[in-house]
Each structure stands twice: as structure tokens, then as C-alpha cells.
Amino acid sequence: PNSSDSATSEAWLNIIQKGYIAYAQISAEACFQSLPDLIDLVLPDIELGKSSTRDAATRCVWALIRECIPDSKLGSDGVQAIIKVLAGGLSYRYRESWALVFLLIAALFQRLGKFAHPSMDAVAKEVANMRMEPEFQFKDEADAVLGAAIRAVGPQVFLEILPLNLDGSQSQDNVGRAWLLPLMKSHIRNAPLGYFVSTMLPLADKLSVQSQQFVSQNRELEAKIYNALSQQVWALLSGFCNVPVDILDSFTVGFAERLANEILEVPATRSAICGALQTLLTAVHALAHTESANGPITQQQALAAEMHLARFAPDYLAQLFNVFALSPGNGRGYLMDTITAFLAVITPGEVNATFAKVCAMLDQALKSHKPPTAAELTEQYLEAHPPPTAHTMTDLAIVMAPYLDTEHAQMLVRAAFVLANQSEDAMLQKKGYKALSRLAA
């Protein structure tokens, strides 16, 4: 139908959409062979049709991409033909409909997965180039395409297609793409952790060294930029910890020690690393204790990974306890969350032994405890100073409550009654009641 005849065009598009989905179920091969020509036939409706017709055409092509490309054809010449047709939608003549074209290209990346490389490399480059134009109006839609590309081919291949070029090294295009870092953070998952260890971590270190050199040269602006870039690279770690397939090989003693040292010594990266460890521990623990065939790793692999990570838990907990005790009261919630994640993977014996040490420190702290003054309980004070040691040790004891055996739970009950009798410190009293509540839960 003529694109200007919206009623007829939309009815036809709906019929094509439903008919071809049914066709694919009956004869997937024959249906697929006709897709390139059909999409080429529909695309003008996205360019020239009225708003409702454009939307109907987009829904039609989106459904064809999702439902009519068989798994066995993901790397075929037919897919190459579909890519060529959709890439034509990036031309200037489609500028009024680029948002819809980007939606379809993102859907194709999602459908093809790893088969999008190298077939769609040129498309990814073209979208990135368009995205970098100063007056480009569809940055969010372009980001959705590039995010789909990251998920499809993985960060390593993606950065081979579109290098960041942050460290002064030469590449063919030599275009700086720092803007990709926040985008990558949101779209990395199930990627090899080894790539972060071997490539991204050295990049973060190099950027940090460059920042320090700028500081020594009194070039404050450049120092801030390179420090921010280093932090953005570190922020990618959480995505690489979203159930990587190579935990046993890549989460080595050396890497574990590096993360622990960063937590202890570098406040700027502390939150990102703790968030990444939470992601890793929580996801692995869930997969290890859930029977599911749809996860990125099997339950047996998850159990092995959990046991592997548990080896590092005691040392991490010791470091985290120290940092938690020295951190301002209003800025350490993420540390407690990380501690909780580690407690879920270590053995009951290790939890109980750690709890006994905390109880001993709590008992010692109570002997010299002085209730905080009103000034020391203000938001302003707590943002800059750690709470009293007795408060900190109580918080740590409470978080271990769900994992204690009967003997150590009774120790917490006795401690809670002692805390509840601290009439001069209302905060400690509340923590005592909270301990009892946690045990009763």
C-alpha cells in the first residue's frame, strides 16, 4: 500500500507481522529467505509514513527480527542481507526516523548475539560516529544500540571495534571515546573477568599514574580528568563480576590481594570494588543454591566458584572490619552490605569464630565507653567521624546474627541485654533491642 494511506498501510503491516510469525513456525527456512526483501519493502513506511504508520512498520520489522531468524541462520548470508537493508536506514534521508531505525538495529544486535561480530562492526562504528556529532539529537537511542552491541559481542570485542583510546596508544582511528565508559558500565554482564584483570586494570593504573604526574606538574584540570577516567574504568568491575564464566581462573590470589589493598588504601575506588564484590558473591551464591538450567554457569560451577571465593572471605572480612571501624557513620552502609555478602559464603565455623572475636572487642570497648554527646550525634559530625567503637562492634555483631549457631546466638543474647541496660546511651540501647529482634526473626 502507499505510505500515505495510513489506514491501509497499518492494516497490511499488522497482517504481515502476524502472518510471518506463523509462517516461521511452519516453514522457518522459507520464511527466513524472504526476510531481506520484505524488510526492504517495509522500510519506506518508517521513512515516509505518518507517525502511526511508522510505529506499525517498526513493530512489524521488530517482530520479524525477533521471531523469524532461526538460530541456525544467525551467521548466514541472509542475515548479512538484513544488516545491509537496516544499515541503509542510517542514511540522512531517514533522519526524521532515526530513533525508530536505532530501535531495530538494537533488536538485531540482541537477536544475533555473538554472531553480530564481525557482521555488524561497521554498523556499530557508524552509530558511534553519529553519536559523537555535537548536534546529534538521538544520543539516548544511539546509546541503546551501542549497549545492545556490548551485550551481544562482549566488552573485549566491542573495544576492538571501538577502542577507548584513553592512554595515548595509537589505533587506526585514534578517536578518544571516554564517553563509552559510563555506557559500558550499564551493559557488561557474563563477560570474562580475566579481560578486566589483563586489560582494564592496567589501563586504570596507567590513567592513575598519569593523573599523579599532572598533579606534580600543577596541572590540576588534567589531573582531575585522568583521575576521573581511572575511576570510571574501575567502575566497570561490577559488570565483569556479574557472573563471569572464569571465576576459578581469574579471581586469583594476586587479584584478590589487589582488591583488598585498594579497599584498605584507596577510598576513591573503595565503593566500586565493594559493589563489584557484592555483585559477584550474591549472584554466585544464588546460582549455587538454585536449580536452574538458564544461568550463565551451571549449579555445579556456581558451587565450585562459591567455595573458591570463600577461601578469601576471612581475609576480606578482616580488612572490611578495619575499614568499617574507621569510616564515618553516615558513609559506610555499602561496607556493611559487602560484609553481609561475604558472611553468606563462609563456613559456619568461621562465622562463629569471627563473632567471638567481635564480642571480645565489644566487651573491651564497653569498659571504656563514653556515651556520645549531642554534638557527636549530628549528621554533620557523623559524616566526618566514625561512631564509638562500641557502636561499631555492636553493628558487626548484629549483622552476623542470622549465621550463628546456638552457643554463639546465646552470646549475642547476653550482649544484647547488656546493651539494653546502657541507659546513658540511647543509641546503644536501640542496638541491643535490634540484636534481639534479629535473632527472633
Side-chain angles (χ1 to χ4, degrees):
N2 192 304
S3 298
S4 61
D5 185 351
S6 59
T8 305
S9 293
E10 290 166 30
W12 180 79
L13 288 165
N14 288 331
I15 291 170
I16 289 295
Q17 176 182 333
K18 295 176 181 178
Y20 262 75
I21 291 175
Y23 188 16
Q25 295 171 351
I26 297 170
S27 181
E29 176 77 22
C31 177
F32 173 71
Q33 293 300 328
S34 64
L35 276 190
D37 290 338
L38 179 61
I39 293 174
D40 193 31
L41 183 65
V42 172
L43 214 58
D45 284 333
I46 296 177
E47 176 195 3
L48 302 171
K50 296 180 180 179
S51 177
S52 58
T53 304
R54 291 179 183 182
D55 290 343
T58 303
R59 288 194 300 271
C60 178
V61 177
W62 187 90
L64 295 176
I65 291 170
R66 300 294 299 177
E67 304 293 340
C68 300
I69 303 177
D71 291 347
S72 61
K73 298 295 182 180
L74 293 178
S76 67
D77 291 340
V79 165
Q80 297 281 0
I82 294 172
I83 293 170
K84 183 177 180 181
V85 172
L86 287 183
L90 297 176
S91 63
Y92 192 70
R93 59 182 277 197
Y94 281 88
R95 64 191 180 279
E96 298 296 330
S97 303
W98 272 339
L100 300 177
V101 173
F102 285 149
L103 180 68
L104 297 177
I105 293 175
L108 189 56
F109 268 115
Q110 292 169 1
R111 182 66 189 100
L112 297 184
K114 64 180 181 180
F115 292 97
H117 172 69
S119 303
M120 295 188 70
D121 290 3
V123 174
K125 291 178 181 178
E126 179 63 23
V127 172
N129 290 338
M130 295 169 71
R131 164 67 167 76
M132 293 180 70
E133 292 293 330
E135 303 300 323
F136 190 66
Q137 298 179 355
F138 301 101
K139 283 182 166 54
D140 289 343
E141 292 82 357
D143 284 349
V145 172
L146 296 172
I150 294 166
R151 292 195 300 272
V153 303
Q156 181 172 356
V157 171
F158 182 79
L159 290 180
E160 291 171 0
I161 301 167
L162 294 167
L164 293 169
N165 296 331
L166 300 180
D167 58 355
S169 62
Q170 297 297 313
S171 68
Q172 284 188 331
D173 56 23
N174 204 32
V175 176
R177 299 189 180 91
W179 56 273
L180 284 174
L181 288 171
L183 180 64
M184 292 179 65
K185 179 185 175 183
S186 303
H187 293 93
I188 296 174
R189 55 179 64 89
N190 309 142
L193 180 60
Y195 181 68
F196 181 89
V197 177
S198 65
T199 303
M200 304 309 292
L201 183 53
L203 174 60
D205 290 341
K206 189 170 185 177
L207 293 168
S208 179
V209 169
Q210 185 66 65
S211 174
Q212 293 166 11
Q213 290 174 349
F214 283 133
V215 169
S216 67
Q217 299 167 7
N218 293 321
R219 298 166 63 180
E220 294 184 5
L221 178 60
E222 292 96 330
K224 289 180 179 179
I225 291 172
Y226 274 78
N227 181 61
L229 289 173
S230 178
Q231 299 309 313
Q232 286 183 323
V233 174
W234 268 109
L236 300 182
L237 178 59
S238 183
F240 283 96
C241 285
N242 192 343
V243 199
V245 296
D246 60 341
I247 297 173
L248 299 182
D249 295 327
S250 297
F251 203 96
T252 61
V253 172
F255 182 58
E257 290 177 348
R258 172 63 194 277
L259 296 186
N261 289 336
E262 288 282 330
I263 291 172
L264 187 64
E265 300 172 4
V266 188
T269 59
R270 187 177 293 158
S271 177
I273 293 172
C274 284
L277 289 172
Q278 289 175 47
T279 297
L280 181 63
L281 292 162
T282 303
V284 168
H285 181 70
L287 288 171
H289 300 277
T290 303
E291 293 185 9
S292 174
N294 298 322
I297 58 177
T298 66
Q299 186 177 25
Q300 284 300 113
Q301 290 172 324
L303 284 167
E306 185 177 47
M307 291 177 62
H308 178 73
L309 295 171
R311 292 171 45 207
F312 304 103
D315 291 337
Y316 270 114
L317 285 172
Q319 294 275 44
L320 288 166
F321 283 3
N322 287 334
V323 174
F324 184 80
L326 297 173
S327 297
N330 281 1
R332 59 186 191 174
Y334 70 93
L335 292 167
M336 183 63 81
D337 292 338
T338 310
I339 289 168
T340 302
F342 273 109
L343 290 172
V345 302
I346 64 175
T347 65
E350 289 171 327
V351 174
N352 291 319
T354 302
F355 175 79
K357 294 177 183 177
V358 169
C359 270
M361 288 186 282
L362 172 59
D363 184 60
Q364 191 66 30
L366 287 173
K367 292 178 181 178
S368 57
H369 177 63
K370 294 181 179 179
T373 64
E376 292 173 337
L377 292 175
T378 62
E379 292 286 331
Q380 185 176 3
Y381 185 89
L382 291 174
E383 286 176 359
H385 300 85
T389 302
H391 289 202
T392 293
M393 293 302 115
T394 302
D395 288 337
L396 293 175
I398 291 172
V399 78
M400 286 185 268
Y403 308 98
L404 300 176
D405 61 16
T406 302
E407 177 186 351
H408 290 84
Q410 290 173 347
M411 288 177 60
L412 182 55
V413 170
R414 290 193 292 271
F417 280 116
V418 172
L419 295 171
N421 288 322
Q422 299 288 320
S423 57
E424 295 181 357
D425 189 336
M427 187 66 70
L428 264 187
Q429 282 187 315
K430 289 180 181 178
K431 291 181 185 294
Y433 297 135
K434 182 178 179 181
L436 293 172
S437 176
R438 185 65 60 88
L439 285 169

